[in-house]
Amino acid sequence: QACTYPCQCPSQPLHCPAGTSHVLDACGCCKVCARQLGELCSLQKPCDHHKGLYCDFSKIHRGSGICLAHEGATCDLLGRIYRNGESFQPTCKLQCICMDGAIGCIPLCSEDLRLPSPECPNPRRVKVREKCCEEWVCEEGSEENRLETAMAVFREDPAQKPELNNLQENCLVQTTEWSACSKSCGMGISARVTNNNPQCRLEKETQLCMIRPCDFSMEKTKKGKKCVRTLRPRQSVRFELSGCSSSRSYRPKFCGSCTDGRCCVPYVTSTVEVEFHCPEGDFFQRKMMFIKMCSCHSDCPRDNDIFLATHHRRMVGDHV
């Protein structure tokens, strides 16, 4: 179909299956759901290039082709072989993809955190019949328990009980420390719980973090020293996230390494809003941790990589 300008795109938001990219059509106008491996494709219905797929028009049928993957290593999961670029669901709770020998998965069930609040003093997750994902239910507690829950979050005022319609004024802000970064190198995630919001409700929030790049060359330790605490790249760098890059460049501090088996981790940090721009023209903002000072100790956090398998490691049962 010929392109028409100015662009006219649907007003309704785009809803695609889990794990499917939003990509621009051939006119560069509207976002569409990317076609997956083995599906029919065209210029207006492009393949998911984020997964290394392309539209093969060698067997053209009415202007359509078939999405194929560029050559790459296959994936072995519990004895079953998946092709490069193939999406699959090992369980109803996970959507996975094989990317050149590595398996990456995203959860299909929400892992949101719900802590006690005045309107829901005893939340718990329950298994619902004929549904894969657990759901939150609020168990009714006694009035005494409700008041104890409320007073733990709101200012104590013997003359007045906290009013639900006046939450912000009575709210006592409570915020935990940020958790350790989920990855020891490369982009990871750190989380904390806070009630600093209009509803004064304890919620989980996350920020991006990078202790050090995975390909960062470490400086040699000085004579008599066993650790290099903080490092700064010689040139400015742009952060990469899901194929998108930060709109501006930074010279962040990174944590170094130790020669005596200890690990070097952030000690003093700050949080900054970083804007990312994507090849398709989209942009978004994410909170990101910036390191001010690092410390070295023996209580090392475990690495928690999103990829469940690599070329050199076979995954057995980790997805359950």
Side-chain angles (χ1 to χ4, degrees), residues 83-156:
R83 295 172 292 168
N84 179 39
E86 184 176 358
S87 296
F88 58 96
Q89 283 187 242
T91 73
C92 63
K93 295 183 178 182
L94 288 176
Q95 178 72 40
C96 300
I97 179 174
C98 173
M99 295 183 68
D100 197 19
I103 298 176
C105 299
I106 59 172
L108 298 178
C109 296
S110 173
E111 297 295 332
D112 62 315
L113 180 70
R114 182 157 189 174
L115 299 179
S117 62
E119 67 273 13
C120 188
N122 300 304
R124 65 185 183 94
R125 297 185 88 118
V126 297
K127 183 76 174 75
V128 180
R129 187 177 180 182
E130 297 182 356
K131 285 189 177 182
C132 176
C133 304
E134 292 86 3
E135 295 183 1
W136 284 107
V137 295
C138 294
E139 291 186 343
E140 290 294 333
S142 65
E143 188 64 27
E144 182 180 352
N145 290 338
R146 286 176 62 89
L147 183 57
E148 286 180 359
T149 302
M151 298 307 287
V153 177
F154 297 93
R155 288 189 174 88
E156 296 186 13

Side-chain angles (χ1 to χ4, degrees), residues 192 205-208 271-273 285-289:
R192 70 178 181 183
E205 65 178 10
T206 59
Q207 67 173 358
L208 301 174
T271 301
V272 177
E273 286 276 354
Q285 289 184 329
R286 290 288 186 274
K287 290 180 178 179
M288 185 165 181
M289 178 191 75

Side-chain angles (χ1 to χ4, degrees), residues 38-232:
E39 295 181 349
L40 293 178
C41 54
S42 66
L43 293 177
Q44 298 300 328
K45 298 176 181 178
C47 300
D48 200 334
H49 61 87
H50 295 134
K51 300 176 181 176
L53 304 181
Y54 68 97
C55 196
D56 182 4
F57 291 102
S58 60
K59 298 180 180 180
I60 296 179
H61 177 67
R62 294 182 183 178
S64 296
I66 297 178
C67 285
L68 298 179
H70 295 287
E71 288 189 14
T74 58
C75 301
D76 181 357
L77 177 61
L78 300 178
R80 182 168 179 178
I81 304 299
Y82 296 95
R83 295 172 292 168
N84 179 39
E86 184 176 358
S87 296
F88 58 96
Q89 283 187 242
T91 73
C92 63
K93 295 183 178 182
L94 288 176
Q95 178 72 40
C96 300
I97 179 174
C98 173
M99 295 183 68
D100 197 19
I103 298 176
C105 299
I106 59 172
L108 298 178
C109 296
S110 173
E111 297 295 332
D112 62 315
L113 180 70
R114 182 157 189 174
L115 299 179
S117 62
E119 67 273 13
C120 188
N122 300 304
R124 65 185 183 94
R125 297 185 88 118
V126 297
K127 183 76 174 75
V128 180
R129 187 177 180 182
E130 297 182 356
K131 285 189 177 182
C132 176
C133 304
E134 292 86 3
E135 295 183 1
W136 284 107
V137 295
C138 294
E139 291 186 343
E140 290 294 333
S142 65
E143 188 64 27
E144 182 180 352
N145 290 338
R146 286 176 62 89
L147 183 57
E148 286 180 359
T149 302
M151 298 307 287
V153 177
F154 297 93
R155 288 189 174 88
E156 296 186 13
D157 185 358
Q160 183 180 2
K161 292 183 180 180
E163 297 291 338
L164 293 180
N165 60 357
N166 197 19
L167 299 181
Q168 196 66 37
E169 184 178 339
N170 293 327
C171 187
L172 279 176
V173 175
Q174 300 176 91
T175 304
T176 66
E177 295 292 329
W178 288 104
S179 66
C181 193
S182 61
K183 295 181 70 174
S184 59
C185 74
M187 193 70 78
I189 293 177
S190 178
R192 70 178 181 183
V193 175
T194 181
N195 67 335
N196 190 10
N197 52 65
Q199 293 76 34
C200 193
R201 178 172 171 172
L202 288 166
E203 293 179 341
K204 181 181 179 182
E205 65 178 10
T206 59
Q207 67 173 358
L208 301 174
C209 52
M210 183 183 290
I211 298 177
R212 64 186 66 85
C214 291
D215 57 352
F216 198 65
S217 58
M218 297 298 182
E219 295 181 1
K220 293 183 178 179
T221 56
K222 295 180 180 179
K223 190 174 182 179
K225 297 279 187 179
K226 294 185 178 181
C227 292
V228 178
R229 290 195 176 183
T230 55
L231 300 168
R232 192 188 293 268

